[in-house]
Amino acid sequence: MKIKNLMLASTAAIACTIGATAQAAPPGYASCVSEPIAQFDGTVVDAALATPELSTLVDVVVAAGLADALNDAENITVYAPTNDAFAAIPGDILGAIAGDEALLTSVLLYHVTEGTNDPRAFIPPARRNTLLGQKVYYSYSDAAPRVNNAAVSCSGVKVSNGIVWVIDSVLIPAL
């Protein structure tokens, strides 16, 4: 099953838009952008499997039945919450999300955008549509790039079918 078939939005194509203004780069912007992007020989799922701090993400991707779809997808960006990010969600809320496959799928698709986006390169305000059909927003705070309010690692991992950025929070879509 392809990721596009899993989209809850009824649009035929995902429109990626970016809003930008002529603002100055935020503090810390230059140092973060200069961090190299690592290379990994495998897919986004392979990279997550090889990263111990993403084991909870792997578990929920498998539980939602999205592993094959993410492996087959081309040219995607995945914002990958760490184990600590999942642990920060209150147990009853995490249990409710994990116990509802449709809800879990929605939350996970909200972490994926089309194209290999580099959140370090966006001068706020900027936004992209996710595979859920809702937007994520990019900004800078405390010298770190952010997607919504989650801090993004300064170094992404380029994989065979896209790029992975580790984030410190789970992104929750409007439901």
Side-chain angles (χ1 to χ4, degrees):
M1 177 189 252
K2 299 286 183 198
I3 276 189
K4 290 187 189 228
N5 293 337
L6 296 173
M7 289 176 43
L8 300 178
S10 61
T11 56
I14 296 175
C16 289
T17 58
I18 184 170
T21 62
Q23 298 177 342
Y29 174 83
S31 64
C32 190
V33 170
S34 66
E35 292 290 321
I37 293 179
Q39 297 287 326
F40 183 84
D41 187 24
T43 67
V44 294
V45 174
D46 296 330
L49 284 167
T51 308
E53 70 179 355
L54 300 179
S55 62
T56 304
L57 176 63
V58 170
D59 291 345
V60 296
V61 164
V62 169
L66 291 176
D68 288 340
L70 288 172
N71 269 334
D72 294 342
E74 293 296 327
N75 198 28
I76 59 173
T77 299
V78 175
Y79 297 100
T82 62
N83 296 340
D84 289 343
F86 282 101
I89 298 174
D92 56 335
I93 294 172
L94 185 57
I97 293 170
D100 181 333
E101 189 174 330
L103 179 58
L104 180 58
T105 298
S106 295
V107 169
L108 293 171
L109 291 179
Y110 190 59
H111 289 78
V112 184
T113 61
E114 276 195 349
T116 52
N117 299 305
D118 185 343
R120 305 170 310 165
F122 297 131
I123 301 292
R127 61 187 180 272
R128 289 279 189 259
N129 280 346
T130 67
L131 294 188
L132 180 62
Q134 295 182 16
K135 290 179 180 11
V136 289
Y137 297 86
Y138 301 96
S139 64
Y140 257 81
S141 179
D142 300 323
R146 296 196 175 268
V147 57
N148 291 357
N149 200 31
V152 179
S153 63
C154 279
S155 180
V157 178
K158 179 78 172 117
V159 295
S160 62
N161 64 331
I163 193 164
V164 178
W165 295 92
V166 174
I167 59 175
D168 72 350
S169 300
V170 176
L171 306 176
I172 305 294
L175 299 173

